[in-house]
Amino acid sequence: MEKFLWKGIIRDKSRSLLPVIVVATGVFFVIVMDGIAGGMMGSMIRMTASFQTGHLKVMTRACAENEEQQPLDLALLDVDRLMETLAARQPEVEWNARIRFGGLLDIPDGRGETRAQGPVSATAYDLLSPGSREIERTGLQKAVIAGRLIRANGEVLISADFADRFQVKPGDTLTFFGSTMYGSMSFTNLHVAGIVRFGTSALDRGAIIVDIVDARQLLDMDNAASEILGFLPGGEYDFKQAEAVKNSFNALYEGSDDEFAPVMLQLADQQSMGGTMAYIDRVMLIMIILLVLALSVVLWNTGVLGSIRRYSEFGVRLALGEGKGHIYRSLLTESIFIGGIGSCFGTVFGLAVSLYLHRYGIDYGEAIDSLAMMIDPVIRSSITPRMYYLGFIPGVASMLVGSALAGMAVYRRNTATLFKELE
C-alpha cells in the first residue's frame, strides 16, 4: 500500500504539489528563524561572557551581593593562590583575573590646563603577560580604529564615543582620578595608545581599558582583583559543565560564614541570562506551535478541495469493498509522505540561507545603537544539529492534522451517491 501511495504522490502533481509548497515554505521559515535566534543568543552569550560574566565567575560573597556598585573594598585578596587552586581543580578551564572600577578622566588643553572632564567605566585585563588570551577573547585587535593596542604599562585604550565627544586622539596624555581599594584618593597620567569601537553602545559609550598591573598600582590592589573569570574549553558555554564546576567549588566553602569567602557563579546566574535563554526557548516553542496551527488550517482547506476532487475515487474504492477506516488511514499515511517531502525541501533551503547568514551576516548596528545589551551588531545564523530535524516537527504534524480534518469527508461518502453520479 505504501508503494502504491508513493507512486500516486509522484505521478499526480495536482494531489501533492500545493501541499508540498505550503509545508516547505513553513519549514523554511522555521529553520531560518531558529538559526537567527540561535545566532543572536550565541552572540549575546559570547559577548557577555567575554566582557562581563565569563562562563564562570569567582568573587567574594559580599561583592556578589553588591556587584552593580563595583565595590573595590570587597575585592578578592591573595588572588595568585586562589587562581592556583582553581587551575589545579579545573585545569581545562582558563582563569583570568580582572578589575572593574570607575573614575574621572581629565582631558588637558595645549597648556596642560583642564579642557574637559568625563566619567568613565574602566576594566583592567591581563594584556601584557606572556600567553594571555585576553586580547583575542575580547576582540581588541579588530576593535582598534585608531592608534594601536597597549604595549607597555601606563597606556590606555579609549572607547570611540568618549574620544569623539572630548576630541581625544592617540598619543594624548590624560589624567585619571579615582579612589583606591581602601577609599583614599588616587590619580595617574595615562597615555592614549588607541581608540576602540566594539559596535555596541554598552561598550562604546564611556569605557576605557588598561592593563591589570597599572590598575593594581593605581588602586592599591596588590595581588587583588574584583573577580576571576573562567572560560570553558573551546570558548563555548555549556550549562551542565559550568553548573558542575560551580557546585564543586562552592562545596569547599559551604560551611563558612565569612562574607569575604569566594563564591562561584556561572553565566546563567548573572545578568538575567538564565531567564533570557529560557525566554528564547519558549518563544521558539510558541512559534512552532503557531506555525503548526496556521499550516494545519491552510492544509485543511487544501485537503478539503482535494477531497472534493477525489470524491469519485473514494466512491469507487468503497464500492470495491474497501473500508472507510482503511481509506482514512491511507490518507493519513499519504499526508506523512507529503509532509516529509515538503519538510526535506524546506530544511534544505532553510539551511542554505542559514549557511549564507552564518558566513556573511547582516549588519543591523544602527537599529540597536541605543541598546545597552551585549549583542553583536551583525546577525550571524547559528548552525546546530537540531536544525536538521526541527522542521519535520511542524511540517509533518501540520500536514497530518490538516489531512485528518479534511479526511473526515470519507465517512460522509456513500455508495448510493456513487451510483447516482455514474448514471
Side-chain angles (χ1 to χ4, degrees), residues 372-389:
M373 293 181 65
M374 293 292 183
I375 300 179
D376 195 326
V378 178
I379 296 179
R380 295 188 185 277
S381 181
S382 174
I383 307 298
T384 59
R386 75 174 188 176
M387 294 174 67
Y388 292 92
Y389 64 83

Side-chain angles (χ1 to χ4, degrees), residues 52 199-207 368-375:
Q52 291 185 337
T200 303
S201 60
L203 297 174
D204 292 333
R205 194 170 295 155
I368 61 169
D369 185 57
S370 60
L371 189 63
M373 293 181 65
M374 293 292 183
I375 300 179

Side-chain angles (χ1 to χ4, degrees), residues 226-241:
S226 301
E227 60 202 22
I228 298 175
L229 301 189
F231 297 91
L232 297 176
E236 295 296 328
Y237 172 66
D238 184 285
F239 175 86
K240 293 182 179 180
Q241 184 179 3

Side-chain angles (χ1 to χ4, degrees), residues 146-283:
R148 55 172 174 80
L149 292 173
I150 292 175
R151 297 177 182 171
N153 295 119
E155 297 182 339
V156 63
L157 296 176
I158 305 294
S159 63
D161 291 352
F162 186 92
D164 292 341
R165 187 162 64 250
F166 295 103
Q167 291 82 52
V168 176
K169 59 184 183 300
D172 290 349
T173 299
L174 311 180
T175 303
F176 177 87
F177 292 91
S179 59
T180 69
M181 178 179 176
Y182 302 100
S184 59
M185 190 71 176
S186 66
F187 61 91
T188 188
N189 290 332
L190 297 171
H191 301 284
V192 180
I195 311 297
V196 292
R197 181 185 298 279
F198 295 98
T200 303
S201 60
L203 297 174
D204 292 333
R205 194 170 295 155
I208 65 171
I209 295 174
V210 299
D211 183 69
I212 195 169
V213 173
D214 293 327
R216 284 172 170 167
Q217 292 178 351
L218 172 64
L219 305 173
D220 197 10
M221 293 180 65
D222 184 37
N223 198 19
S226 301
E227 60 202 22
I228 298 175
L229 301 189
F231 297 91
L232 297 176
E236 295 296 328
Y237 172 66
D238 184 285
F239 175 86
K240 293 182 179 180
Q241 184 179 3
E243 188 71 11
V245 175
K246 182 191 79 171
N247 293 335
S248 174
F249 179 84
N250 289 337
L252 299 175
Y253 303 91
E254 190 173 1
S256 175
D257 295 329
D258 184 7
E259 65 175 351
F260 290 96
V263 63
M264 183 178 291
L265 304 174
Q266 69 144 309
L267 185 142
D269 302 327
Q270 309 172 63
Q271 303 288 332
S272 302
M273 288 298 294
T276 301
M277 289 185 287
Y279 174 77
I280 294 296
D281 289 337
R282 286 195 294 269
V283 168

